[in-house]
Amino acid sequence: MWNQHEIQQQLEIINGKVAPDLIIQNATYLHSILKKWVTGTIWIKADRIVYAGERMPAMTEGAEIIDATGKKIVPGYIEPHVHPFQLYNPERFADYAGRLGTTTFLSDNLTFFLLLGNEGAFKLIDQLNELPFSFYWWARFDSQTVLQDEQGVFNLEAIGEWLKRDDVLMGGELTGWPRLMNGDPDMTASVIAAKKAGKKIEGHFPGASERTLARMKLLGADGDHEAMTTEEVEARLLQGYAVTLRHSSIRPDLPDLLKGIIDKELDVFDHLMMTTDGSTPSFHTDGVMDKCIQVALDAGVKPIDAYLMASYNVARYYGIDDVHGVIATGRYATLNFLDNETNPVPTDVLSKGKWLKRDHASTAPFKQVDWSIIPEFEPDFDLDENEFEFTEAVGIEMVNDVITKPYEVKLDLSVDKLSTDHDESFLMLIDRHGKWRVNTFIKGFANQVQGFASSYSNTGDIILIGKDKKAMLQAFREMKRLKGGMVLVEDGKVASSIPLRIGGGLSADRMEVLIEQEIALKKELAERGYKHGDAVYTFLFLQSTHLPYIRATQVGLYHVMKNEVIIPTTER
């Protein structure tokens, strides 16, 4: 945090011996504890507020002085449940979010953990900590799929190293909660270790009954973000959970939840938070947490409550309100300047004492992280036409963009091209190192996609989908040429693509560029019959066993509810 020398310099400002770096006069700012707007002067030294109150400092020579008359100042917004790997990388997403006022992330560690192990992951996190932005992290206890070596990867020693870090605030999310409820010793040990380390435990309990919520509370869960109705919000609050309301690309529930809370006159806004829960890039065209605040304001939430749900409530719950979420002495100098309290998009953003935005204009982009730590996606194998054999008469049927069920395949399994008269396609999951593959069918994806390849998936393994085996092979080879990405092929040409050059799963491009690429790809898929909500999530969750009912995994086609492999992997 701050060393003794830095604190001594801060004290000398209070003692009138030296001037602050920045003085904000006539500041009307939201005081999170008093829950009211107050007017005064804010003194800042480097990245810390050294005083907020009525006084001017005795020494002002050399200080930058800003007159904030006419502005409203609020704490920097906090996103409490970030999956910062949804095609974007954490640095690019933070850069984009920060200029819209979201200056703190509490982030999922899963991608770093799986790709790099702890040593490499910590090197990247330490670089992110040098940004004028605040990163905090989760410690995952499971992969949310079925790995060939789940216990070897998610062992207590490796998880424990994360729990020792001060910037890890949470254990979970508990996508594998049935294991915990059934007494799985590894999951139980991880939760106990997290609780002993003072970390919160975040649940993942969609549709959970009151009985399940009570059980999971006794087993250590502190919060949950899966409430889909007002009644589910109330049920979680009744059981003593911290509740995070979701507004995401696959679950844009926030408007209805807030309307229900207001209609029921539940005076609970001090105990609520909000999240975009790992939305895909184009969902953020109109903001990050500023977007959630605007939804709250539009729903009739009082402005102070709306801002606190995206700042102080999060900081208080996670025990970081000594540095975040309050404009007061000793906190980070992280402030959003607004034209008025009804518009949460800031005109100016100060994050840890650095300007990210001045007079509506962004300052220099972030350029801190050396992404070469993540190995390039360079598969040293090719596929041949003989591997495109589909002999099993069971496949995956999409109920929506992420929910699936098994179905019986009644097609001619010997053909190289499938008809466009139906919505069944070939599907392959291939080990990113070329050791195995799973061949099956998928129904409900699209009826006119000839060939599609993605190195973006839950585990970083390769997904191929299409009607035409040759087009699928071409898409695979083009994806290899790009060193990772999503590729749609039609009539021998690339119809659309998203390069993912960081490890095959993350874009190196600015968010604005990535958003355009994602919109273009989704448009092309929609024109070819994809009719669900978010295609990117379809590829991400195709392996995810925290959702029903059938998944393509590293051990084969897997029935989640029966806990059994239907079609095993084929060794290559």
Side-chain angles (χ1 to χ4, degrees):
M1 198 64 68
W2 294 279
N3 61 40
Q4 187 58 42
H5 175 70
E6 290 169 326
I7 294 171
Q8 192 60 44
Q9 288 181 317
Q10 295 159 6
L11 289 171
E12 288 182 350
I13 295 170
I14 298 294
N15 294 336
K17 295 180 180 180
V18 296
D21 295 330
L22 175 64
I23 302 168
I24 305 172
Q25 291 182 305
N26 302 314
T28 300
Y29 59 94
L30 175 57
H31 196 284
S32 304
I33 299 171
L34 296 176
K35 291 189 68 174
K36 68 178 185 178
W37 300 98
V38 299
T39 301
T41 304
I42 302 169
W43 314 352
I44 293 169
K45 172 66 175 176
D47 60 352
R48 196 179 197 191
I49 298 172
V50 298
Y51 172 82
E54 297 181 354
R55 297 171 49 214
M56 276 289 287
M59 295 285 290
T60 61
E61 186 176 352
E64 178 185 4
I65 300 177
I66 293 174
D67 187 344
T69 300
K71 299 286 186 181
K72 291 289 183 71
I73 305 175
V74 295
Y77 310 143
I78 305 174
E79 226 296 8
H81 193 93
V82 186
H83 302 268
F85 310 106
Q86 309 298 55
L87 302 182
Y88 40 73
N89 71 65
E91 183 179 31
R92 290 294 196 190
F93 190 33
D95 192 319
Y96 181 82
R99 293 154 212 285
L100 295 169
T102 302
T103 52
T104 302
F105 284 168
L106 183 51
S107 301
D108 187 358
N109 75 330
L110 183 61
T111 295
F112 282 175
F113 187 74
L114 290 177
L115 274 178
L116 298 171
N118 289 356
E119 183 177 357
F122 294 160
K123 286 180 179 178
L124 274 180
I125 287 174
D126 290 343
Q127 290 185 59
L128 288 167
N129 286 340
E130 297 300 315
L131 295 172
F133 193 93
S134 296
F135 274 95
Y136 297 95
W137 297 88
W138 322 348
R140 282 275 194 169
F141 302 152
D142 70 283
S143 65
Q144 74 179 28
T145 183
V146 182
L147 301 179
Q148 290 186 337
D149 185 25
E150 178 92 16
Q151 290 182 327
V153 176
F154 286 88
N155 60 76
L156 187 57
E157 181 179 359
I159 294 168
E161 290 180 356
W162 285 85
L163 296 175
K164 291 176 184 177
R165 291 184 64 101
D166 292 337
D167 53 2
V168 171
L169 304 181
M170 181 180 101
E173 60 184 291
L174 294 179
T175 51
W177 62 267
R179 287 174 49 196
L180 180 62
M181 195 159 66
N182 291 329
D184 179 90
D186 294 328
M187 185 72 78
T188 301
S190 295
V191 170
I192 290 172
K195 299 293 279 190
K196 286 183 177 179
K199 315 299 182 182
K200 298 292 187 183
I201 303 295
E202 179 69 6
H204 182 97
F205 312 137
S209 67
E210 182 183 49
R211 187 179 182 185
T212 295
L213 291 173
R215 286 174 170 176
M216 297 313 300
K217 196 74 176 70
L218 293 173
L219 288 166
D222 297 295
D224 183 72
H225 59 285
E226 290 291 334
M228 294 175 281
T229 66
T230 306
E231 290 71 26
E232 289 184 351
V233 171
E234 194 168 10
R236 283 155 175 75
L237 292 171
L238 282 167
Q239 294 295 330
Y241 283 84
V243 176
T244 304
L245 308 179
R246 179 170 47 195
H247 193 54
S248 75
S249 53
I250 57 172
R251 294 293 323 183
D253 296 325
L254 187 59
D256 290 339
L257 293 176
L258 290 171
K259 181 180 183 302
I261 290 167
I262 291 171
D263 288 348
K264 294 189 75 169
E265 298 182 345
L266 299 176
D267 185 15
V268 295
F269 290 106
D270 284 352
H271 304 281
L272 300 177
M273 298 170 276
M274 299 183 288
T275 180
T276 59
D277 192 12
S279 294
T280 46
S282 59
F283 185 79
H284 294 293
T285 301
D286 55 351
V288 187
M289 292 310 295
D290 56 310
K291 177 174 183 167
C292 291
I293 295 168
Q294 189 63 61
V295 169
L297 295 172
D298 292 344
V301 177
K302 294 176 182 178
I304 288 177
D305 285 330
Y307 287 104
L308 295 185
M309 281 196 292
S311 56
Y312 179 61
N313 291 5
V314 183
R316 183 185 60 199
Y317 172 66
Y318 283 104
I320 54 173
D321 50 322
D322 57 333
V323 288
H324 294 287
V326 187
I327 300 175
T329 300
R331 274 68 175 187
Y332 276 127
T334 300
L335 312 171
N336 289 335
F337 295 70
L338 312 177
D339 274 333
N340 57 73
E341 65 187 47
T342 62
N343 182 4
V345 180
T347 61
D348 306 78
V349 178
L350 187 71
S351 181
K352 293 169 77 171
K354 302 289 186 182
W355 291 105
L356 303 186
K357 192 177 188 181
R358 295 295 304 267
D359 298 323
H360 300 276
S362 295
T363 57
F366 294 169
K367 291 182 179 179
Q368 177 65 37
V369 177
D370 176 11
W371 291 104
S372 66
I373 292 174
I374 296 180
E376 288 190 337
F377 181 81
E378 295 181 302
D380 60 355
F381 66 94
D382 194 14
L383 299 174
D384 60 56
E385 294 183 6
N386 294 329
E387 296 187 86
F388 288 78
E389 294 182 350
F390 297 82
T391 59
E392 301 287 347
V394 61
I396 299 173
E397 181 175 356
M398 295 176 62
V399 177
N400 59 30
D401 40 9
V402 298
I403 303 298
T404 63
K405 64 181 181 180
Y407 86 103
E408 182 182 357
V409 181
K410 297 182 179 179
L411 302 171
D412 180 354
L413 304 184
S414 65
V415 299
D416 291 332
K417 290 185 181 181
L418 297 174
S419 169
T420 58
D421 293 338
H422 57 75
D423 63 355
E424 294 175 68
S425 303
F426 300 117
L427 167 65
M428 297 176 68
L429 178 70
I430 306 163
D431 174 45
R432 65 185 285 132
H433 304 295
K435 296 179 180 179
W436 51 261
R437 58 179 168 81
V438 181
N439 288 25
T440 185
F441 290 84
I442 186 166
K443 177 178 172 58
F445 177 75
N447 64 343
Q448 296 185 64
V449 170
Q450 293 180 10
F452 180 86
S454 176
S455 57
Y456 172 82
S457 66
N458 181 281
T459 57
D461 295 314
I462 300 162
I463 297 169
L464 303 184
I465 295 175
K467 294 278 190 177
D468 185 332
K469 294 177 181 179
K470 287 186 177 180
M472 293 166 67
L473 180 58
Q474 183 183 354
F476 168 77
R477 288 172 176 168
E478 174 64 15
M479 180 202 64
K480 279 183 61 177
R481 189 192 68 80
L482 289 176
K483 295 188 176 181
M486 293 179 166
V487 178
L488 176 66
V489 165
E490 183 168 280
D491 296 333
K493 297 179 181 178
V494 175
S496 186
S497 65
I498 301 177
L500 300 173
R501 297 188 179 93
I502 301 176
L506 307 177
S507 173
D509 290 318
R510 294 183 299 110
M511 277 287 290
E512 293 83 356
V513 173
L514 179 58
I515 286 170
E516 291 180 2
Q517 293 170 343
E518 185 207 3
I519 290 173
L521 176 64
K522 286 181 173 178
K523 177 177 179 291
E524 297 292 340
L525 288 173
E527 289 176 354
R528 289 158 178 79
Y530 184 89
K531 61 182 182 295
H532 304 291
D534 195 326
V536 174
Y537 258 97
T538 295
F539 309 128
L540 178 65
F541 279 172
L542 197 62
Q543 299 166 280
S544 297
T545 53
H546 68 291
L547 296 168
Y549 288 94
I550 186 169
R551 302 287 152 180
T553 75
Q554 290 188 357
V555 299
L557 195 63
Y558 183 82
H559 198 296
V560 176
M561 307 307 287
K562 295 181 179 179
N563 193 26
E564 68 180 20
V565 176
I566 299 173
I567 303 173
T569 57
T570 298
E571 297 299 318
R572 298 185 69 252

